[in-house]
Amino acid sequence: WQKLGHDTSVTTAAYPVFEEKYLVESIKEYPISFNGKMRFTLELPFDMSPQEIEQTVMAHEKTQQQLNGRSPKKVIIVPGKIVNIVG
């Protein structure tokens, strides 16, 4: 404590103030899977709708490389968890 530059005892220091804004998650790192196998991750805002998530993932260049021009049969999105593309 003294090496950090404080003169008083650590027991008399003020306890940190709780601020809820620092506990709110704003970005989620989604694992993007193809046929159940994770290929890459993508950071997206936590408040995106499933439709917006699907549009963003389908427009990503790594998704296009994995699909090789094919269209997916199904896109499964669990908001806040995972995106799985079947096809």
Side-chain angles (χ1 to χ4, degrees):
W1 185 250
Q2 289 175 345
K3 288 182 180 180
L4 291 175
H6 300 282
D7 296 332
T8 59
S9 173
V10 71
T11 58
T12 59
Y15 198 76
V17 177
F18 172 75
E19 293 187 34
E20 190 174 343
K21 67 180 180 180
Y22 295 118
L23 298 177
V24 177
E25 203 172 356
S26 61
I27 295 177
K28 173 68 179 160
E29 188 172 352
Y30 283 90
I32 311 298
S33 301
F34 292 87
N35 297 323
K37 295 181 182 178
M38 194 199 69
R39 300 297 180 186
F40 64 95
T41 59
L42 192 61
E43 284 189 1
L44 300 172
F46 200 71
D47 58 351
M48 287 181 84
S49 70
Q51 292 81 15
E52 292 172 326
I53 293 171
E54 181 177 352
Q55 290 173 353
T56 305
V57 170
M58 295 306 291
H60 196 270
E61 65 182 54
K62 290 184 180 179
T63 302
Q64 298 303 319
Q65 289 174 353
Q66 289 291 325
L67 290 175
N68 291 327
R70 298 173 290 158
S71 60
K73 294 178 184 175
K74 190 173 189 180
V75 178
I76 302 167
I77 299 171
V78 181
K81 298 286 183 183
I82 192 169
V83 177
N84 189 24
I85 301 171
V86 180

